[in-house]
Structures are given as structure tokens and as C-alpha cells.
Amino acid sequence: MAKVTIDGIEVEVADGTTILNAARQIGGEVVPPAMCYYSSLKDTGGKCRVCLVKVTQGSAKDPRPMPKLVASCRTPVMDGMVVQNITSPEVLEARKGVVEFLLINHPLDCPICDQAGECDLQNLAYEHGAGKTRYEEDRRTFEKIDIGDKIKLHMTRCILCYRCTFVADQLTKERVHGVLNRGDASEISTYIEKAVDNEFSGNMIDVCPVGALTDKTFRFKSRVWFTKPLDAHRNCDKCCGKVVLWTKGDDVLRVSARKDQYGEVKEYICNECRYDHKNMNDWTIEGPRHVDRHSVISQNHYEKIDMQKLKLDIERQIQFQKGKQLPETNQSPA
């Protein structure tokens, strides 16, 4: 076991745990954002760079700081390590630059994007982005294409997180899409005259952090905050059968896999559950889906407050505020 201190809060984790997952055990504001890392997919992380943190002490044995900011999703903890996330002005400035870089070619078409309201990039830009862009060059553009009978690809929105390729590699037998070309010409695409057609292809939509891969059966039907998410399940011999039904009245507009508090799917679902069962009678309804209160989807969704969870959240926030060090400011005496 290793003890690591993140933003003034100490936590003990198993050896080999990354800084990001150690921060997730603490929870709250100390958790770095992540756009490419996905805990249920092997070898993800290290591509988007938004999870950069500052290691001010490498370990108890070697207290020297690491010379550069490190990707928390790829860096394992050491016993005695001290890490700064949002308490470091250097980290916040670097994260702001990374967000600006991610948005260089992004069209920012949130008003017409189906991902609006549940977009990780939208949340990241709101929390860490700049008020305006300095970019004056032409943005790269791509034609919208169908990479399957149920999936529409908007390459202009893609940030090349590689999540969809990892899903195809690890859930299916034959992957027919990937990242083609290099540099500014890189794009997600299928190989010549190939289409994504397998039992788990719809999970590419769930893991995409932006609106690059969208569900053609749901496109433009409703804004996500106008729908009511319900937890439901059915007996399925292909997958776990545990889903979220996005409903409007008695109509099921969309079926998706369940995600945790970090927007990650733990149990993937098959295309039969996703596309072929959009009738309430096909499912056993468990109840309303819990929606994080910071999300726009929570509008008009009311639920009982878990007092025990609220108490733990408050205690964690008090502990964080005690450990938080405000950045020094050079002020001349009056």
C-alpha cells in the first residue's frame, strides 16, 4: 500500500494505482478531468492531456519534485508522493491551454449537437476553457458519414481520444475502423468499403466524450434534458441487459448503457437491447435514474436526498478546504 497526498488530502491506495484513480477514491474537486481515459478499457489514457497534475514530491524515499507536469491517468503513485491538482496555478494554466488546443478544430455547434447536455468537452470548456479563442486559421472540416446503419460520424467534432477504437478492439472480434492518416489529417474512419456491423457497435456511441459518434435513431428527436431517464433491465443472453431508458411520456426515445459518476460504462450492452427494444413493455422498470445535480439533465428531475451521502460529501469538502492552499499573490503594501 502507498500513501499519497492530493491537494492536501491523504489517501492510502494499492501499489500501482494511478494518481487519477487515487484522486477518484477521495472524490470531489480533487479529481482531475479525463477525456480519453476509460477505466473499463485496457491501455486507454495518455492522449488528451487534460488530466495533467503537478508532483511536488516524488516519494518519501526521493522527495524531489518531478520536473514537468505528468498525466495522472498514466502515472502510478509512490509512497509519500505529494500531488497538486486544482491547488496549483501552473496546472490550471496548462489545463486551460490543453482545452484551447482541443477546441482548435472543434466546430462548437452545441446548439444543434445531440450530445449537448451530456458532453464531456462542453463541461470541460465551461470549467477550464478561455472566454474566447485566439485561433484565426481555417478549421479542418469533414463530411458527415454513416459508418454503420445506426451510427453517424461527425469527424469535425472528434478529439481523437481513441475510445471507440479500444471498444471495437476489446468487445468485438474484427475491428473495421481506426485512426487513418497523421497529424492534422488524422481521422476516425472505416477501411475502404467497410461498415461497422457487430453486436456491440453501439457502445462506440456511449464511450465517445463528444458528439462525434451519434445514434441515428435518436438524432434530433429531443434534447436530452427534456427526457426522463429510467433504470431498466431485461433478460438478455448477449449482455447484462441493464440499461437506461430515455423516455418522453410513454415513448422510449433512446436506450443506452449505464454510466458511473465519471461518465464511464461498466457493463456494455448489445445492439439488440439498444435498438430493437424501444417499448416500455419490453423492460422491467427499476425506477428513475439518479442524475448528478450539476448536470443540465437534472432539470425538473426530483428525488429524495440521501442524507448519509450528503453528510459524506460535506465532510469531504470541509477536509479539502482545510488542505487547500491558495496561490500566493504579490501585493504591494498600501
Side-chain angles (χ1 to χ4, degrees), residues 55-315:
V55 178
T56 58
Q57 178 174 304
S59 67
K61 294 181 178 179
D62 185 359
R64 292 177 299 174
M66 291 189 178
K68 297 182 180 180
L69 303 183
V70 298
S72 61
C73 66
R74 284 288 193 174
T75 308
V77 300
M78 300 289 287
D79 189 40
M81 178 179 282
V82 178
V83 178
Q84 288 184 342
N85 179 30
I86 63 173
T87 56
S88 169
E90 183 182 356
V91 169
L92 296 179
E93 187 64 23
R95 192 166 292 157
K96 183 178 178 181
V98 172
V99 174
E100 184 177 20
F101 182 77
L102 289 177
L103 293 175
I104 278 180
N105 286 305
H106 198 79
L108 295 177
D109 52 357
C110 303
I112 61 168
C113 178
D114 278 307
Q115 193 84 354
E118 50 184 359
C119 176
D120 294 340
L121 186 59
Q122 195 176 42
N123 297 334
L124 185 70
Y126 179 78
E127 295 173 3
H128 299 283
K132 59 181 180 180
T133 181
R134 297 177 293 176
Y135 193 69
E136 298 179 353
E137 308 298 326
D138 292 334
R139 299 175 187 269
R140 67 176 190 169
T141 58
F142 297 87
E143 294 294 328
K144 304 179 186 69
I145 61 173
D146 295 330
I147 59 172
D149 62 334
K150 300 288 196 305
I151 304 175
K152 175 76 76 173
L153 172 62
H154 289 244
M155 189 57 219
T156 51
R157 300 172 181 169
C158 180
I159 61 169
L160 295 174
C161 70
Y162 287 71
R163 284 181 179 179
C164 62
T165 60
F166 281 110
V167 164
D169 270 336
Q170 297 172 27
L171 293 186
T172 64
K173 295 180 180 179
E174 295 183 0
R175 174 168 61 89
V176 296
H177 79 288
V179 180
L180 308 183
N181 306 318
R182 294 184 177 183
D184 192 49
S186 298
E187 62 174 305
I188 297 288
S189 183
T190 57
Y191 300 125
I192 298 174
E193 296 180 353
K194 290 286 187 179
V196 177
D197 182 21
N198 59 70
E199 285 296 331
F200 288 86
S201 63
N203 292 287
M204 292 165 50
I205 300 169
D206 285 338
V207 303
C208 181
V210 295
L213 295 169
T214 53
D215 184 348
K216 289 171 63 178
T217 66
F218 178 67
R219 284 168 57 82
F220 308 125
K221 283 192 175 181
S222 176
R223 283 300 192 184
V224 68
W225 52 86
F226 293 141
T227 63
K228 181 179 179 180
L230 301 173
D231 282 339
H233 68 270
R234 62 180 289 269
N235 293 326
C236 179
D237 56 1
K238 299 177 182 177
C239 69
C240 63
K242 298 176 182 179
V243 303
V244 179
L245 305 180
W246 300 84
T247 65
K248 182 179 272 190
D250 293 330
D251 297 328
V252 178
L253 301 184
R254 179 177 65 160
V255 180
S256 68
R258 299 183 186 181
K259 297 182 179 181
D260 63 12
Q261 60 180 320
Y262 301 112
E264 296 182 0
V265 176
K266 298 303 181 184
E267 296 181 287
Y268 297 99
I269 63 173
C270 64
N271 285 359
E272 181 182 345
C273 288
R274 186 183 300 273
Y275 299 122
D276 298 341
H277 294 278
K278 292 191 175 180
N279 190 311
M280 284 284 196
N281 296 329
D282 295 337
W283 301 92
T284 299
I285 308 299
E286 300 173 13
R289 177 73 175 168
H290 171 71
V291 179
D292 197 318
R293 300 309 300 174
H294 84 279
S295 171
V296 68
I297 309 173
S298 66
Q299 292 295 320
N300 300 320
H301 294 164
Y302 304 101
E303 59 184 348
K304 292 182 180 179
I305 297 176
D306 186 336
M307 300 303 294
Q308 186 65 27
K309 182 177 182 300
L310 180 62
K311 178 175 178 290
L312 292 174
D313 288 342
I314 293 173
E315 290 175 349

